[in-house]
Amino acid sequence: KIKKTEKDEL
Amino acid sequence: MNVFRLAGDISHLLAIIVLVIKIWKTRSCAGISGRSQILFALVYTTRYLDLFTNFISAYNSAMKIFFIVASYATIFLMYSKFRATYDHNHDTFRIEFLIVPVSGLALLVNHDFTPLEILWTFSIYLESVAILPQLFMVSKTGEAETITSHYLFALGSYRTLYLFNWIYRYYAEGFYDLIAIIAGLVQSVLYCDFFYLYITKVLKGKRLSLPA
């Protein structure tokens, strides 16, 4: 699962 | 940050700047779909709510703020300052046909059933189809100004470059996000027809016009 903190893209 | 990601971001930034400058310099928003611009403002607003909860980098925050501000500025220019030039007769795509299914899909298929995560998912799905009113408008009028086609090319290239970024990140970091990848694929496919016309016509110095 992708953690919110990993959302470094725009 | 890899070269594909950076090129994608620059392309995205250029697209937005080209659009604002086009409207400002020509004092006209003719040929631009206000409905697509409303969808993009909704995309940035729902995706970048994490500006308040999560700091990644100054670059990341600055870009997010720029995208949000520029999208609302574009809407202001279209619906207020240069309203008289807005071509609403040709901008007739029903955006609720996109917003309703995309909302349903975001509630059903997401990484986590939390408000921020659902809004992020909604924005990813909505972005993939947000250009449809604009493409519909181009097909309805059968043509686009050259500057508008540059805008569309930069905006379409951005997500296609992100696809290469995701391939790179999968191999280099083991990172992948299926929601973003599938939506990015859909988004890129929607531009294929336009890319073809752009390469075969606009890059050869001709105006973008569709065969009757």
Side-chain angles (χ1 to χ4, degrees), chain B residues 9-20:
Chain B
D9 284 356
I10 291 170
S11 180
H12 195 184
L13 194 64
L14 273 178
I16 292 169
I17 293 171
V18 162
L19 182 63
V20 172

Side-chain angles (χ1 to χ4, degrees), chain B residues 22 28-32 85-87 137 145 148:
Chain B
K22 172 225 144 42
S28 163
C29 58
I32 303 297
T85 63
Y86 171 44
D87 196 4
M137 195 172 176
E145 282 178 56
T148 304

Side-chain angles (χ1 to χ4, degrees), chain B residues 62-80:
Chain B
M63 293 288 263
K64 286 174 173 172
I65 292 166
F66 181 83
F67 289 158
I68 293 172
V69 171
S71 68
Y72 284 98
T74 305
I75 289 176
F76 166 75
L77 291 178
M78 292 194 71
Y79 286 95
S80 182

Side-chain angles (χ1 to χ4, degrees), chain B residues 78-117:
Chain B
M78 292 194 71
Y79 286 95
S80 182
K81 195 163 175 60
F82 303 124
R83 190 187 177 87
T85 63
Y86 171 44
D87 196 4
H88 61 88
N89 288 333
H90 290 121
D91 192 16
T92 52
F93 194 96
R94 300 278 296 273
I95 56 174
E96 57 272 35
F97 290 162
L98 298 177
I99 294 175
V100 173
V102 157
S103 306
L105 192 62
L107 287 167
L108 287 171
V109 184
N110 52 57
H111 292 308
D112 199 5
F113 204 80
T114 57
L116 265 189
E117 191 65 32

Side-chain angles (χ1 to χ4, degrees), chain A, chain B residues 48 56 60 111 117 120 165-166 169 176:
Chain A
K1 198 166 85 178
I2 310 296
K3 286 190 221 87
K4 194 78 205 163
T5 49
E6 287 177 303
K7 292 203 172 88
D8 59 337
E9 294 179 344
L10 295 166
Chain B
Y48 299 151
I56 291 153
N60 192 279
H111 292 308
E117 191 65 32
W120 177 85
N165 157 54
W166 291 324
R169 289 191 75 175
Y176 70 100

Side-chain angles (χ1 to χ4, degrees), chain B residues 96 119 157 160 179 183 204:
Chain B
E96 57 272 35
L119 285 170
S157 304
T160 309
I179 287 178
K204 289 183 180 153

Side-chain angles (χ1 to χ4, degrees), chain B residues 52-209:
Chain B
F52 300 103
T53 60
N54 193 18
F55 179 79
I56 291 153
S57 66
Y59 169 83
N60 192 279
S61 297
M63 293 288 263
K64 286 174 173 172
I65 292 166
F66 181 83
F67 289 158
I68 293 172
V69 171
S71 68
Y72 284 98
T74 305
I75 289 176
F76 166 75
L77 291 178
M78 292 194 71
Y79 286 95
S80 182
K81 195 163 175 60
F82 303 124
R83 190 187 177 87
T85 63
Y86 171 44
D87 196 4
H88 61 88
N89 288 333
H90 290 121
D91 192 16
T92 52
F93 194 96
R94 300 278 296 273
I95 56 174
E96 57 272 35
F97 290 162
L98 298 177
I99 294 175
V100 173
V102 157
S103 306
L105 192 62
L107 287 167
L108 287 171
V109 184
N110 52 57
H111 292 308
D112 199 5
F113 204 80
T114 57
L116 265 189
E117 191 65 32
I118 289 167
L119 285 170
W120 177 85
T121 312
F122 168 81
S123 94
I124 293 287
Y125 293 153
L126 185 63
E127 186 190 348
S128 70
V129 293
I131 201 62
L132 285 176
Q134 179 66 60
L135 294 175
F136 180 71
M137 195 172 176
V138 171
S139 72
K140 216 173 167 188
T141 57
E143 57 178 12
E145 282 178 56
T146 300
I147 188 77
T148 304
S149 50
H150 294 328
Y151 159 71
L152 281 170
F153 183 74
L155 194 65
S157 304
Y158 131 73
R159 217 52 174 172
T160 309
L161 287 162
Y162 258 64
L163 290 177
F164 291 104
N165 157 54
W166 291 324
I167 293 169
Y168 176 89
R169 289 191 75 175
Y170 177 74
Y171 287 107
E173 304 163 29
F175 171 92
Y176 70 100
D177 183 334
L178 269 183
I179 287 178
I181 292 169
I182 306 280
L185 273 170
V186 170
Q187 190 168 339
S188 298
V189 166
L190 292 182
Y191 281 89
C192 282
D193 193 38
F194 169 79
F195 283 157
Y196 175 77
L197 289 170
Y198 185 83
I199 291 163
T200 56
K201 292 200 168 180
V202 181
L203 289 185
K204 289 183 180 153
K206 282 182 272 183
R207 219 177 129 91
L208 191 134
S209 60

